[in-house]
Amino acid sequence: MEFSKYSQLLGHHIQEIRRSRHLTQEQVAELIGMDRASIGYIEQGRRVPKISTLFSLAEIYDIEMQDFFAIPTSSREDEPTE
């Protein structure tokens, strides 16, 4: 899978986690000291989050860091099998 596709899947997964916590982008941005647009870019896959950002998100979402990379297999439908 090419990097840009993985970045989009990661961003979408981060968005799903945020929504499952009933938080807005504005609330998350305020909690971790970023602007809302940056959160939006991450969720769109247009920006890859720094490790420190993922750490902050994991804290407020009360998840482990590796949970960000446990992208559901249904999101990988177009990924070729080996």
Side-chain angles (χ1 to χ4, degrees):
M1 176 184 320
E2 65 183 63
F3 181 76
S4 63
K5 179 65 176 171
Y6 190 79
S7 180
Q8 289 175 339
L9 289 173
L10 174 62
H12 182 71
H13 189 56
I14 291 171
Q15 180 184 60
E16 288 175 340
I17 295 169
R18 174 184 57 79
R19 287 180 174 172
S20 74
R21 302 306 191 267
H22 306 288
L23 293 167
T24 65
Q25 289 180 347
E26 291 82 6
Q27 290 169 320
V28 171
E30 186 175 321
L31 287 168
I32 65 172
M34 291 180 78
D35 60 275
R36 191 220 47 87
S38 294
I39 300 297
Y41 290 146
I42 289 168
E43 291 183 358
Q44 294 167 17
R46 294 173 55 194
R47 182 175 292 162
V48 178
K50 295 178 182 180
I51 295 295
S52 59
T53 300
L54 287 176
F55 183 80
S56 296
L57 291 173
E59 284 189 319
I60 65 169
Y61 296 157
D62 194 29
I63 62 173
E64 298 294 326
M65 287 278 286
Q66 66 263 20
D67 294 339
F68 288 119
F69 303 101
I71 298 172
T73 54
S74 63
S75 298
R76 301 182 193 184
E77 290 174 354
D78 59 340
E79 183 179 352
T81 56
E82 296 187 40

